[in-house]
Amino acid sequence: MSRRGPCDELAAGGHPATQSDARAALDHALSQPHRAEQHALLQQARQALDEAMQQRQDAEQRYAALFDAVPDPVSILSSAGVVMDLNRAGVRAYGRPREAIIGQPIELLNPDLPSDHLEPVWAALQRGDTYVIEVTNMRGDGSRFPVEVHSAGFELQGEPCIVAVARDLSGRWQAESRYRLLMESIDKGVILFDRELRVVSANPAAHRILGTAGTGSSLQTLLDPRDWIMVDEHGHLLGHDQWPANRCFQAGRVIRSTIVGLYHRPRGRMLWLSITNVPVFGNGRDHADHVFAMFSDITELKRNNALFDRAQSLAHIGGWEWDRGLARLYLTDEARRILGQELPLDDMPDLMECLRSDDRLALQQALAASVDARSSFALELRGQRADGHSFWVRMIGEASEGDVDAARIAGTVQDITERKQAEETLRIQARTDPLTGIMNRDAVLSDLGVRLSNPTHCRAAVLYIDLDRFKTVNDLLGHSAGDELLIEATRRIGRAIGTEGLLARFGGDEFLVVCDTRDQSDQPELLAQRITAAFEPPFVFGNDEFVVTASIGIACAPRDGVRPQQLIQNADTAMYDCKRRSRNGWQVFSPELAQAQHDRLQIESRLHRALEADEFRLVYQPQVNLRTGEVIAAEALIRWQNEQLGEMRPDLFIAHAESTGDIVRIGQWALREACRQVRQWQDEGLGLVRVAVNVSYRQFTGDDLALKVRQALDEFHLPGSALELEFTERVLIEDAPDTLRTFARLREMGVMLAIDDFGEGYSALNYLRRLPIHGLKLSQLFVEGVPGDRSDMAVCEAICGIARSLGLGVVAEGIESEAQRRYLMGLGVNVGQGFLFAPGLTPEEFVR
């Protein structure tokens, strides 16, 4: 495009019209005749002018090339803002012919400029500065585009002019718009810091995460370093120079994914962030001018991880994943702690090395099944830690969901060592007697069951051991002494049997010894002899010595039973027979004992129903004055008539009733029946007859005996003097405080109180002295030997002496001869009963 502008003359160094006129004048002068010297001078002037004009033309071409080569629109403006020249880029940008622009005011291109828009331009140019402004230019079709205009001043032919370069910002605006959209939409916080850690800019996510959104406070104010405490991911305090942004400035490189905790003092708020810091360098600078901090809020994730880690730690559960393809085992921190190995467990074989061999095989099989059948597994495995301590773990695993080739198997590992130890402790405790430390009832039953279930071990024997007179020591000296006796008895039995028998405490003062009889058939008898011999030395408690012996029953399998309970029951039967006959010995079970046991069971089963079946009756044996023969009272004796068993003697069923506890109901019936009979006799005009009723020690330990007596007397309108209660010596040591209170209440009612069969059992003279009783009954056991047996005579004399000393009356039982009557009268016994006078009589016989 051919054009000339006002800058062409500037580039040529002069006005073109002036140069053309000068050349024409020189050409005319050269055409005139001149001297040679003049002609030469004119020729030189003409040549110089031609060179100047050529230089001007070259300058114009360079200027046009340079002016049009600028890619941005360039305008030359007069001081009044008229467009004097425009390059090709301007013509293209504005979409107008050059001629339509040259000579027009700049408002043609910038219609939005104010009227005084040149004032700040000239003010800046006069200061020697470049003036920069962003405006909107308009094309010939009316469309607009943003530009950044850089203006500078110069003079043209002495007139001030402006050269303005316009940079099209459409592309930058689009980039900035995308950048702003990105910054405003992403969930990551972005803050640009300067070297003083002042906030240059921040996106909305930064405001939201840091808590300034909607508060009206600036981010710079919120981020005052004095208000924040920063810690690393482990909670260790970070100094100001250790803050990630400062580290980024110092290192001049990206600091990636740093986890920090930020505590804001004024608000008391804790944040956890994952921050990446990127340095920003200015042109030609070696040090970063700014740092971009890009961060995510991981507070919830941190809390969840912390809670998960805490839960893992508290539950002793860790996680694991085995990548078969990479041959790599991944363990959580808790899993590594549970397994407790010094060397890292990088692959599954490493983990298996710390397991027992059989558990190692079980895990191998489970992993193979997970791969082949996509099955899950749960195993309890035992291994050893690096410190030598064993561990138990519950390991659960399965192939990862969606893993086609089961390349990854993952699961959990839980420390169950404490549970297993507790189970083992409970198992031992469940099998061990806590007092003696030997096997207990359940343990020996289980062991005996295993022996008897195995044909090769069916020849076994049971020794049932009961301690004689243990209750005496326990009641007189207390339970502590009783426990000491049981512990010492355990030691003695244990030493006696050695390794030839298995010892267990079966309950109370009863022990079991189980031994094998395959190699030595008389082994049970030999052990029984050793055990009884072990009890020959007395037991010493302080300054007191007590003789405690052992009664032993023996039953052998398979002869005497093939089931544990059957064998033990038969041994128990033999033991009771030994205790009944002699004590301090042993007895082998026999069919005769089995029959006796059967009879006992028959008695007990029918005895329990006898009261409801109205099978009991009372007979009355007179108590007479030994000098006059006058009947002064009667003793009520119980009888039992059963359809299957016939007439049962009291000595056959009373002991059974005592052991089963039925004696309490039977005794209450006897008490009421005796009171009813006395009432009937009174109504028949016989006067008041005192009736003696036997009371079991179990009635003392059961219901309120005094209340029951009061109720029976009141029911039949009887005074207490109509009743005498006879107790065995056992009540003297059952519970002394309760015994005293009960005896006192009975005596207040007027009831006569006596100790029956005195001297046969526990002669607790200390209690006898303190009890408010009226008399003693001299046992038939001693009466039957007088006056011929010196021992019986000595006992009778001693008892009568005790009674006299304590002011107690004496009634003799079992008098069958005149010689016995006279002897007893000589001892001062006034009242007696026995066949010499009358047996037990029915109420009608007693009346006659």
Side-chain angles (χ1 to χ4, degrees):
M1 178 178 65
S2 176
R3 58 126 174 94
R4 286 186 62 84
C7 289
D8 296 336
E9 288 78 3
L10 177 65
H15 197 280
T18 304
Q19 291 177 343
S20 300
D21 292 344
R23 190 175 186 278
L26 286 174
D27 287 340
H28 177 73
L30 284 174
S31 67
Q32 301 298 320
H34 296 288
R35 292 192 300 271
E37 294 85 357
Q38 292 177 336
H39 187 81
L41 289 173
L42 291 172
Q43 189 66 38
Q44 290 177 359
R46 170 91 185 297
Q47 184 177 355
L49 181 59
D50 288 342
E51 290 176 357
M53 291 180 68
Q54 184 62 46
Q55 289 176 357
R56 173 180 173 275
Q57 185 179 359
D58 293 340
E60 284 182 354
Q61 292 176 350
R62 287 195 301 272
Y63 163 76
L66 178 61
F67 194 55
D68 289 335
V70 177
D72 297 318
V74 181
S75 302
I76 305 298
L77 307 179
S78 68
S79 59
V82 176
V83 179
M84 300 171 63
D85 202 356
L86 183 69
N87 68 349
R88 289 180 181 176
V91 173
R92 290 194 301 271
Y94 297 128
R96 300 170 185 265
R98 185 171 179 274
E99 293 77 12
I101 299 174
I102 299 301
Q104 300 297 322
I106 192 61
E107 286 83 359
L108 176 70
L109 304 180
N110 301 298
D112 298 327
L113 290 174
S115 59
D116 59 348
H117 68 90
L118 287 178
E119 292 180 6
V121 178
W122 284 115
L125 298 182
Q126 288 169 3
R127 291 193 306 268
D129 297 333
T130 299
Y131 183 77
V132 181
I133 188 174
E134 289 188 12
V135 294
T136 302
N137 281 353
M138 186 172 68
R139 300 184 181 93
D141 60 4
S143 62
R144 301 182 180 232
F145 61 99
V147 293
E148 181 182 73
V149 180
H150 291 250
S151 299
F154 70 99
E155 285 189 0
L156 177 62
Q157 297 178 356
E159 294 294 330
C161 298
I162 300 172
V163 58
V165 180
R167 176 69 51 83
D168 190 344
L169 299 181
S170 299
R172 195 185 80 181
W173 276 22
Q174 292 175 359
E176 288 180 351
S177 177
R178 289 194 296 269
Y179 169 77
R180 283 193 299 271
L181 180 61
L182 175 63
M183 290 297 100
E184 291 175 2
S185 62
I186 64 173
D187 197 39
K188 279 183 174 290
V190 181
I191 299 178
L192 180 64
F193 291 103
D194 63 14
R195 291 195 66 85
E196 303 301 323
L197 290 189
R198 289 189 296 262
V199 177
V200 177
S201 64
N203 71 338
H207 287 272
R208 176 179 54 77
I209 292 172
L210 296 176
T212 59
T215 64
S217 60
S218 69
L219 199 60
Q220 182 61 54
T221 302
L222 178 68
L223 292 181
D224 188 339
R226 294 169 298 182
D227 291 339
W228 292 86
I229 296 175
M230 185 178 291
V231 297
D232 65 14
E233 61 181 315
H234 303 295
H236 301 142
L237 187 65
L238 295 177
H240 191 262
D241 59 338
Q242 295 176 301
W243 287 22
N246 277 333
R247 288 174 51 210
C248 185
F249 274 122
Q250 294 164 8
R253 59 180 175 82
V254 176
I255 306 296
R256 298 183 183 278
S257 301
T258 304
I259 296 177
V260 297
L262 291 174
Y263 178 76
H264 192 231
R265 288 190 179 100
R267 293 184 299 173
R269 182 187 179 194
M270 187 72 184
L271 290 173
W272 287 94
L273 306 177
S274 176
I275 304 177
T276 295
N277 289 272
V278 180
V280 180
F281 295 89
N283 292 333
R285 300 185 66 87
D286 296 331
H287 301 287
D289 297 316
H290 298 83
V291 162
F292 267 116
M294 293 169 284
F295 52 90
S296 299
D297 185 354
I298 61 169
T299 304
E300 289 297 326
L301 179 62
K302 179 73 173 178
R303 182 182 297 115
N304 291 340
N305 286 341
L307 291 174
F308 179 70
D309 292 341
R310 183 64 173 162
Q312 278 195 337
S313 177
L314 290 175
H316 304 295
I317 298 177
W320 62 272
E321 182 182 83
W322 182 39
D323 191 322
R324 296 193 303 120
L326 298 177
R328 182 65 188 271
L329 178 65
Y330 301 93
L331 299 172
T332 64
D333 291 341
E334 183 64 16
R336 286 193 293 269
R337 189 201 65 76
I338 290 171
L339 297 172
Q341 304 303 308
E342 290 181 351
L343 298 176
L345 305 178
D346 295 329
D347 198 3
M348 187 58 72
D350 299 332
L351 186 150
M352 291 182 180
E353 281 299 316
C354 64
L355 300 178
R356 294 187 307 180
S357 57
D358 51 345
D359 289 344
R360 194 179 308 156
L361 178 60
L363 180 56
Q364 287 176 341
Q365 294 173 345
L367 291 171
S370 290
V371 173
D372 297 338
R374 301 294 194 277
S375 61
S376 59
F377 65 86
L379 301 173
E380 291 188 353
L381 308 170
R382 188 176 182 182
Q384 190 174 48
R385 296 189 174 98
D387 59 8
H389 290 88
S390 61
F391 65 78
W392 277 94
V393 295
R394 176 176 173 80
M395 192 169 183
I396 299 175
E398 62 182 357
S400 298
E401 187 175 355
D403 191 342
V404 177
D405 194 33
R408 291 179 299 148
I409 301 175
T412 60
V413 56
Q414 180 179 12
D415 188 352
I416 59 171
T417 305
E418 290 185 5
R419 193 197 81 193
K420 283 292 186 179
Q421 290 173 345
E423 288 177 356
E424 180 64 16
T425 300
L426 289 175
R427 189 189 68 81
I428 294 173
Q429 290 177 347
R431 293 176 53 86
T432 304
D433 175 58
L435 176 64
T436 61
I438 60 176
M439 294 173 66
N440 62 13
R441 181 190 189 98
D442 292 338
V444 73
L445 285 174
S446 175
D447 183 88
L448 186 58
V450 172
R451 288 174 182 253
L452 297 179
S453 65
N454 191 331
T456 61
H457 289 83
C458 66
R459 295 186 63 84
V462 170
L463 283 71
Y464 199 117
I465 306 168
D466 182 85
L467 303 185
D468 305 322
R469 299 188 74 243
F470 166 76
K471 186 169 180 57
T472 303
V473 177
N474 193 64
D475 291 342
L476 290 177
L477 301 184
H479 295 300
S480 177
D483 290 345
E484 290 182 29
L485 193 155
L486 290 173
I487 294 171
E488 175 60 23
T490 301
R491 283 196 287 262
R492 294 190 184 190
I493 299 173
R495 286 195 297 266
I497 65 175
T499 59
E500 298 172 22
L502 183 68
L503 175 61
R505 184 183 176 196
F506 203 61
D509 60 337
E510 298 171 338
F511 296 85
L512 285 189
V513 171
V514 179
C515 66
D516 199 309
T517 61
R518 285 176 301 172
D519 299 331
Q520 192 170 359
S521 60
D522 61 347
Q523 178 79 331
E525 290 84 350
L526 294 176
L527 292 181
Q529 291 175 358
R530 292 186 204 166
I531 293 170
T532 53
F535 280 83
E536 289 179 0
F539 289 78
V540 179
F541 297 95
N543 296 325
D544 298 324
E545 292 186 354
F546 290 85
V547 176
V548 178
T549 57
S551 296
I552 305 172
I554 300 173
C556 300
R559 182 190 67 201
D560 301 327
V562 293
R563 293 180 291 104
Q565 289 289 8
Q566 182 185 20
L567 202 61
I568 292 172
Q569 183 176 347
N570 289 337
D572 183 29
T573 300
M575 182 273 294
Y576 270 109
D577 185 66
C578 173
K579 189 178 286 287
R580 180 184 61 83
R581 288 186 300 104
S582 62
R583 300 190 176 189
N584 191 25
W586 49 272
Q587 174 66 45
V588 177
F589 180 78
S590 66
E592 293 75 18
L593 289 178
Q595 182 61 47
Q597 173 73 0
H598 177 268
D599 293 343
R600 189 178 80 174
L601 293 176
Q602 289 289 319
I603 291 173
E604 290 182 356
S605 64
R606 287 170 172 78
L607 184 64
H608 187 67
R609 299 189 296 270
L611 197 60
E612 289 75 11
D614 196 23
E615 295 177 352
F616 292 112
R617 63 187 176 89
L618 292 182
V619 297
Y620 300 90
Q621 187 173 39
Q623 293 182 347
V624 302
N625 186 311
L626 296 183
R627 296 185 184 279
T628 66
E630 178 188 2
V631 176
I632 60 174
E635 179 179 5
L637 304 174
I638 194 167
R639 297 292 184 264
W640 178 28
Q641 177 72 36
N642 181 265
E643 292 183 2
Q644 288 80 24
L645 302 178
E647 178 78 23
M648 301 295 297
R649 299 195 319 269
D651 61 330
L652 290 178
F653 69 82
I654 291 296
H656 293 299
E658 292 271 8
S659 63
T660 61
D662 288 322
I663 194 65
V664 175
R665 296 186 304 118
I666 296 172
Q668 181 61 30
W669 173 86
L671 176 64
R672 184 180 180 280
E673 176 63 18
C675 290
R676 186 199 64 78
Q677 186 60 60
V678 172
R679 177 76 267 167
Q680 181 179 335
W681 283 335
Q682 276 194 302
D683 293 343
E684 293 174 356
L686 296 181
L688 181 63
V689 179
R690 186 177 75 247
V691 176
V693 179
N694 288 280
V695 176
S696 167
Y697 79 96
R698 283 189 176 272
Q699 290 175 266
F700 253 93
T701 59
D703 294 334
D704 189 337
L705 177 62
L707 177 62
K708 298 295 184 183
V709 171
R710 180 76 273 168
Q711 290 172 346
L713 292 173
D714 290 346
E715 181 181 358
F716 297 104
H717 308 289
L718 296 175
S721 58
L723 191 63
E724 179 179 342
L725 299 182
E726 296 183 356
F727 307 90
T728 62
E729 290 173 282
R730 185 167 185 175
V731 302
L732 300 179
I733 59 173
E734 285 301 323
D735 192 336
D738 284 348
T739 301
L740 287 171
R741 284 192 293 269
T742 302
F743 270 57
R745 291 171 61 190
L746 291 172
R747 185 156 181 158
E748 288 173 1
M749 298 178 200
V751 177
M752 300 291 289
L753 305 173
I755 302 300
D756 193 18
D757 296 330
F758 186 78
E760 282 191 23
Y762 310 102
S763 300
L765 300 181
N766 180 47
Y767 292 147
L768 182 63
R769 176 178 58 83
R770 296 161 51 195
L771 289 175
I773 60 175
H774 298 91
L776 305 175
K777 295 196 73 172
L778 189 58
S779 172
Q780 180 180 354
L781 182 66
F782 306 121
V783 171
E784 66 183 2
V786 298
D789 189 288
R790 286 183 173 275
S791 297
D792 288 344
M793 291 173 62
V795 171
C796 289
E797 291 174 2
I799 292 174
C800 290
I802 291 171
R804 280 194 302 271
S805 299
L806 297 176
L808 303 175
V810 177
V811 177
E813 295 182 297
I815 300 175
E816 298 182 356
S817 67
E818 181 63 24
Q820 291 173 337
R821 184 183 71 85
R822 287 196 299 269
Y823 173 76
L824 293 169
M825 286 174 56
L827 292 180
V829 178
N830 296 322
V831 181
Q833 64 187 81
F835 286 167
L836 177 63
F837 310 109
L841 305 173
T842 65
E844 294 76 18
E845 293 172 337
F846 185 83
V847 169
R848 288 195 297 270

